[in-house]
Amino acid sequence: MRQILYVSSSTVTGDKADLVTILEQSRHNNAVEGITGLLWSDGARFLQVIEGPTASIDSTFERILNDQRHYGLLVQRDVTIDERQFGGWTMAHRRATDPVDAYDARMRRLLTGASDTVRNPFLSLMATGSISA
Ligand SMILES: Cc1cc2nc3c(=O)[nH]c(=O)nc-3n(C[C@H](O)[C@H](O)[C@H](O)COP(=O)(O)O)c2cc1C
């Protein structure tokens, strides 16, 4: 299996970012393709980890790379894995009005099974607004 972790910037910022559509497409396609992972967004940036059968990740990541809804995509991690680190596929979106504590607790729960190399970029982005992978 292949696992990719990347960061990118939303072309459309704020709550207008096309998050609902992205989530619907991803939920559907990823279920069909056997892809699991986590997509984080604050409306301005994305941090996503996807994992699954190599052929599925290859074709899905190709579509993601060409998606005009984001730019400046930077791969943080691209590895072969034996076991999944995420049981399902989820998107965690923080709205400006979400209480920070509840949101952080939710993210920590979602990242429970992940290795430090995957968890740390998420936690550092949440905490400081910048990635130090
Ligand atoms: C930040 C971001 C993350 C995305 N994540 C996924 C994903 O995990 N799986 C997926 O199938 N599409 C994802 N997409 C959407 C794809 O780029 C593409 O639009 C979609 O897969 C096309 O699906 P369709 O052919 O069913 O319309 C993502 C797009 C963006 C901007």
Side-chain angles (χ1 to χ4, degrees):
M1 287 193 291
R2 185 181 179 193
Q3 183 190 62
I4 296 178
L5 172 72
Y6 73 84
V7 60
S8 66
S9 298
S10 181
T11 319
V12 192
T13 52
D15 276 348
K16 286 200 197 99
D18 200 9
L19 291 169
V20 174
T21 317
I22 292 172
L23 182 58
E24 278 172 4
Q25 285 175 325
S26 304
R27 262 201 195 121
H28 174 263
N29 293 341
N30 293 0
V32 173
E33 296 283 335
I35 292 175
T36 51
L38 177 62
L39 173 63
W40 178 92
S41 179
D42 60 1
R45 282 161 310 178
F46 297 109
L47 185 63
Q48 183 175 34
V49 57
I50 48 172
E51 61 184 16
T54 303
S56 302
I57 295 294
D58 290 354
S59 55
T60 298
F61 191 56
E62 184 72 30
R63 293 200 307 276
I64 293 174
L65 271 177
N66 291 317
D67 197 310
Q68 299 300 309
R69 291 172 291 191
H70 63 171
Y71 67 96
L73 190 153
L74 221 66
V75 174
Q76 306 277 317
R77 186 175 153 84
D78 184 355
V79 291
T80 301
I81 52 166
D82 295 327
E83 282 179 23
R84 292 177 192 273
Q85 297 184 348
F86 295 87
W89 196 86
T90 325
M91 174 156 165
H93 172 220
R94 180 167 57 84
R95 292 175 193 83
T97 51
D98 285 346
V100 172
D101 288 356
Y103 181 78
D104 281 5
R106 183 170 165 236
M107 280 300 292
R108 279 171 215 286
R109 259 197 320 278
L110 291 170
L111 291 164
T112 303
S115 63
D116 284 348
T117 43
V118 171
R119 184 165 40 234
N120 291 342
F122 278 97
L123 295 180
S124 87
L125 188 64
M126 284 160 52
T128 66
S130 68
I131 304 250
S132 57

